[in-house]
């Protein structure tokens, strides 16, 4: 069966009004502190599963319990810059680290989207966060009433994970924490998209978070029978024997596609549709339903106006369990196999083989992987796959598991992907993604404006403006920018524009003036080290208002501002108007 680009685009266009653009990403995952790190981990086939960090579970999860001490872990989950968010040390100590991390993820995703957080204040921006754990509350409970403070009620309440973001940013849209077990974060994305489509909100922050703080939680899952005894996720493989725990979180910034295009936003991918249902009555509370999974898939693609024949990749729920994997594979085969030509299997894989099962945040991890795969036009390998599970007839179902980094099967067609996430109580979610639409570089909006001055790189000097809450933060920003700029293909003018227009300015500030990338990097490195540097000016802003001083006394000279006039059209136009 063949498909042409026009047929896909015409079907997708029927749902254009409901298309949702993903304009910003952030994540904290094992061995990956951001989307760029996560993509590098995925494309290189890195396995981030390790033993639990020393001291994480000193009194629980005995060493001889199979699989309990293996997982994908973060370092320093207790670290938090409370002052940045205006939170006192006492209140920060009472806050679930999941609250703290979601604050950070939301801020970083907005920065990635080029959205000034202050510009959203009092707007109908929504916050939906998926999670299922409250380990920190359980841990605090072990110490009795002596640790209860005036901040404990808000600090330990799961609902406040979302509400804290809305409070800090001053957002007026819906704000709720979603618990649908393991499908929580993808259900949160679904609810965020529905809120945008209905007009209830104008922008949405969707996130997922999962931190494995309490050893007893791992023991509970082992005694349930869900964990892999050898601490390895064998998704769709004959060795599949359970899942491996993971921790971390991620966030996306969502906006109606038409608005994102009009605003000139960078688009990572487009959510064409999503669907959610429940298994209903099955042989057991945690036994998945092939029929329900089949229904949620069909509903999602019907809503998207996209034929299953056009889908090239599905990011699986793919936990690596002996019961769940065959049911998921069968449901996919029911929906996709009849629409595919011989020799054109649907590629499927699972990020759980890289970073573990993030449970309430698992769907967000799958969404991020699919979006990065669309953006980079590559599909990473699904790890630990050698021999198909004998209960999964991959050929008969029209499925294939990539064992190495591969190109999309049909790069000449619009790229289409799906993401699945299923909860142990039967709540199923599926999201349909397409690649970002082609944009006109000459169009207006942020992207067009950023590169508008054709001679930007030919100017004698350009400013890069940085700021932080304090000196240490400012130096850290300089170090991060130096690392980025050293490998980025962005021009100095584009970077300068983004720093000026898409970053919040704090009181501790610096300007690096330079005439080329090497000079900028030298200035940034000096700033990061706290050393004097050529073209580096630092200071603290006590009053944000601007002041101008006209000295008189003959300070003017012939040709004054001539270079400025020749280099900056805005200055030249203003000068001509005055003249």
């Amino acid at each position: 069966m063949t498909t042409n680009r026009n047929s896909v685009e015409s079907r997708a266009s029927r749902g254009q009004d409901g298309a949702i653009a993903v304009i910003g990403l952030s994540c904290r995952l094992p061995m990956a502190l951001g989307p760029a790190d996560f993509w590098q981990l995925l494309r290189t086939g890195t396995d981030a599963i390790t033993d639990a960090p020393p001291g994480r579970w000193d009194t629980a999860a005995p060493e001889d319990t199979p699989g309990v001490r293996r997982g994908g872990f973060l370092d320093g989950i207790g670290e938090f810059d409370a002052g940045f968010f205006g939170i006192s040390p006492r209140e920060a100590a009472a806050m679930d680290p999941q609250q703290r991390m979601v604050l950070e993820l939301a801020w970083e995703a907005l920065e990635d989207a080029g959205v000034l957080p202050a510009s959203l204040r009092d707007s109908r921006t929504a916050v939906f966060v998926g999670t299922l754990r409250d380990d920190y509350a359980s841990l605090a409970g072990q110490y009795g009433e002596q640790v209860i403070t005036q901040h404990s009620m808000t600090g330990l309440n799961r609902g406040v994970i979302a509400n804290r973001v809305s409070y800090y940013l001053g957002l007026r849209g819906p704000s709720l924490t979603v618990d649908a077990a393991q499908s929580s974060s993808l259900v949160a994305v679904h609810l965020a998209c529905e809120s945008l489509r209905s007009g209830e909100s104008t922008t949405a922050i969707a996130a997922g978070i999962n931190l494995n703080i309490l050893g007893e939680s791992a023991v509970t899952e082992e005694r349930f029978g869900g964990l892999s005894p050898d601490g390895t996720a064998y998704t769709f493989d004959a060795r599949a024997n359970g899942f491996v725990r993971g921790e971390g979180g991620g966030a996306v910034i969502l906006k109606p596609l038409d608005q994102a295009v009009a605003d000139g936003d960078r688009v990572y991918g487009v959510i064409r549709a999503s669907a959610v249902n429940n298994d209903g009555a099955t042989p057991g509370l945690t036994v998945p339903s092939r029929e329900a999974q089949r229904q949620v898939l069909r509903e999602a693609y019907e809503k998207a106006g996209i034929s299953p024949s056009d889908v090239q990749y599905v990011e699986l729920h793919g936990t690596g369990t002996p019961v769940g994997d065959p049911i998921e594979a069968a449901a996919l085969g029911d929906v996709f196999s009849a629409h595919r030509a011989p020799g054109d299997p649907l590629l499927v894989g699972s990020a759980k083989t890289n970073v573990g099962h993030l449970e309430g945040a698992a769907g967000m991890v799958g969404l991020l992987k699919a979006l990065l795969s669309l953006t980079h036009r590559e599909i990473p390998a699904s790890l630990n796959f050698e021999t198909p599970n004998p209960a999964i007839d991959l050929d008969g179902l029209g499925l294939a598991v990539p064992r190495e980094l591969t190109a999309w099967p049909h790069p000449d067609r619009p790229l289409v992907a799906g993401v699945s996430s299923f909860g142990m109580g039967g709540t199923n979610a599926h999201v349909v993604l397409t690649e970002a639409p082609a944009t006109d570089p000459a169009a207006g909006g942020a992207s067009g404006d950023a590169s508008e001055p054709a001679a930007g790189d030919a100017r004698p000097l350009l400013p890069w403006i940085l700021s932080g809450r304090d000196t240490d933060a400012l130096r850290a920003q300089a170090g991060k920018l130096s690392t980025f700029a050293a490998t980025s293909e962005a021009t100095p003018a584009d970077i300068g524009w983004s720093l000026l227009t898409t970053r919040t300015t704090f009181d501790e500030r610096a300007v690096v003036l330079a005439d080329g990338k090497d000079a900028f990097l030298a200035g940034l490195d000096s700033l990061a080290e706290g050393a004097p540097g050529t073209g580096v000016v630092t200071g603290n802003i006590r009053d944000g208002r601007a002041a101008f001083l006209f000295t008189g006394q003959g300070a003017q000279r012939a040709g004054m501002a001539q270079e400025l006039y020749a280099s900056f059209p805005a200055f030249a136009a203003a000068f001509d108007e005055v003249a």
Side-chain angles (χ1 to χ4, degrees):
M1 179 177 291
T2 59
T3 307
N4 62 55
R5 175 175 289 268
N6 290 334
S7 69
V8 177
E9 291 180 343
S10 64
R11 282 194 292 273
S13 68
R14 293 203 295 268
Q16 183 72 21
D17 291 342
I20 304 299
V22 182
I23 63 171
L25 310 177
S26 66
C27 66
R28 303 279 181 83
L29 298 169
M31 298 187 186
L33 297 182
D37 290 345
F38 186 38
W39 176 246
Q40 184 65 15
L41 180 149
L42 290 169
R43 76 181 310 273
T44 57
T46 300
D47 183 348
I49 304 304
T50 64
D51 290 332
R56 176 68 72 93
W57 300 325
D58 288 337
T59 60
E63 295 286 355
D64 59 353
T65 304
V68 165
R69 288 189 174 270
R70 295 287 292 173
F73 295 96
L74 298 179
D75 294 326
I77 61 173
E79 297 174 0
F80 179 62
D81 187 353
F84 181 90
F85 295 100
I87 296 171
S88 71
R90 282 179 57 83
E91 183 171 10
M95 288 169 59
D96 186 336
Q98 295 182 133
Q99 285 191 30
R100 307 177 207 161
M101 192 169 291
V102 169
L103 277 172
E104 295 170 336
L105 289 169
W107 183 275
E108 291 166 7
L110 288 171
E111 282 199 332
D112 185 64
V115 175
L116 285 172
S119 69
L120 299 179
R121 184 165 294 276
D122 297 329
S123 69
R124 288 183 293 123
T125 297
V127 181
F128 295 89
V129 180
T131 190
L132 60 80
R133 297 228 162 271
D134 51 9
D135 280 12
Y136 196 66
S138 299
L139 183 63
Q142 294 179 2
Y143 291 89
E145 67 175 65
Q146 65 191 33
V147 300
I148 298 175
T149 72
Q150 68 191 87
H151 303 298
S152 296
M153 187 168 181
T154 53
L156 301 178
N157 187 295
R158 264 190 295 176
V160 177
I161 296 176
N163 301 160
R164 182 84 65 172
V165 175
S166 299
Y167 169 76
Y168 178 69
L169 298 175
L171 311 178
R172 297 288 179 86
S175 180
L176 62 148
T177 301
V178 179
D179 184 353
Q182 289 78 5
S183 58
S184 297
S185 60
L186 206 62
V187 172
V189 171
H190 168 78
L191 294 175
C193 291
E194 293 300 296
S195 180
L196 291 166
R197 291 187 181 106
S198 71
E200 179 183 56
S201 57
T202 52
T203 304
I205 302 170
I209 185 70
N210 185 67
L211 295 180
N212 298 323
I213 298 170
L214 201 63
E216 286 81 356
S217 294
V219 174
T220 298
E221 295 186 338
E222 188 276 330
R223 292 182 182 172
F224 169 73
L227 292 186
S228 167
D230 52 6
T232 303
Y234 297 109
T235 301
F236 277 29
D237 190 86
R239 296 166 293 170
N241 58 2
F243 67 87
V244 180
R245 303 183 81 210
E247 68 178 358
V252 293
I253 307 301
L254 306 174
K255 181 189 278 189
L257 176 60
D258 291 345
Q259 189 62 52
V261 171
D263 292 343
D265 294 317
R266 174 186 55 185
V267 177
Y268 285 99
V270 179
I271 297 176
R272 294 292 175 179
S274 57
V276 171
N277 72 0
N278 191 271
D279 290 339
T282 63
L285 174 62
T286 61
V287 177
S289 166
R290 173 176 174 174
E291 172 60 24
Q293 291 183 18
R294 181 167 59 220
Q295 287 178 353
V296 81
L297 291 166
R298 285 176 172 161
E299 180 182 347
Y301 290 101
E302 287 173 2
K303 289 168 66 175
I306 290 177
S307 168
S309 64
D310 297 323
V311 184
Q312 300 182 46
Y313 176 74
V314 168
E315 174 66 14
L316 301 165
H317 181 60
T319 54
T321 57
V323 175
D325 282 6
I327 291 175
E328 181 173 9
L332 288 166
D334 291 343
V335 174
F336 291 98
S337 63
H339 299 272
R340 310 193 76 81
D344 183 26
L346 173 69
L347 296 184
V348 296
S350 175
K352 294 177 179 66
T353 61
N354 299 94
V355 296
H357 186 355
L358 268 72
E359 303 180 50
M364 179 58 65
V365 176
L367 180 68
L368 292 172
K369 176 184 171 183
L371 288 165
L372 292 169
S373 297
L374 289 169
T375 301
H376 295 280
R377 303 183 74 83
E378 292 178 314
I379 298 174
S382 193
L383 306 186
N384 311 320
F385 181 79
E386 295 179 0
T387 304
N389 187 321
I392 300 175
D393 179 8
L394 288 177
D395 292 337
L397 295 171
L399 308 176
V401 179
R403 305 186 191 199
E404 59 186 16
L405 184 69
T406 183
W408 283 73
H410 302 287
D412 55 322
R413 305 177 191 171
L415 306 187
V416 184
V419 182
S420 291
S421 191
F422 308 138
M424 67 178 178
T427 296
N428 308 308
H430 190 79
V431 168
V432 182
L433 297 172
T434 60
E435 64 181 313
T439 56
D440 179 2
S447 298
D449 292 341
S451 55
E452 175 268 328
D457 288 338
R459 293 171 177 167
L461 287 175
L462 286 169
W464 283 6
I465 301 172
L466 298 89
S467 71
R469 292 281 193 190
D470 54 32
T471 302
D472 289 342
L474 180 63
R475 291 177 181 174
Q477 287 295 321
K480 289 174 63 176
L481 181 58
S482 177
T483 300
F484 168 79
T487 57
S488 174
E489 296 181 359
T491 67
D494 285 337
I495 293 175
W497 170 270
S498 296
L499 290 170
L500 177 66
T501 61
T502 68
R503 289 294 182 268
T504 300
T505 50
F506 300 105
D507 288 351
E508 201 69 34
R509 301 185 189 180
V511 176
V512 179
L513 289 167
D515 59 1
K517 178 174 282 190
D518 289 343
F520 275 116
L521 293 177
L524 289 173
D525 291 342
S526 297
L527 181 58
E529 295 166 4
T534 302
V536 178
V537 180
T538 62
N540 186 280
I541 304 301
R542 301 297 182 187
D543 186 335
R545 294 173 295 176
F548 296 88
L549 175 65
F550 298 90
T551 62
Q553 308 299 318
Q556 65 276 14
R557 56 180 171 78
M560 188 172 179
Q562 184 172 339
E563 291 181 351
L564 192 64
Y565 184 93
S567 299
F568 292 90
F571 176 83
F575 186 92
D576 290 343
E577 183 180 355
V578 172

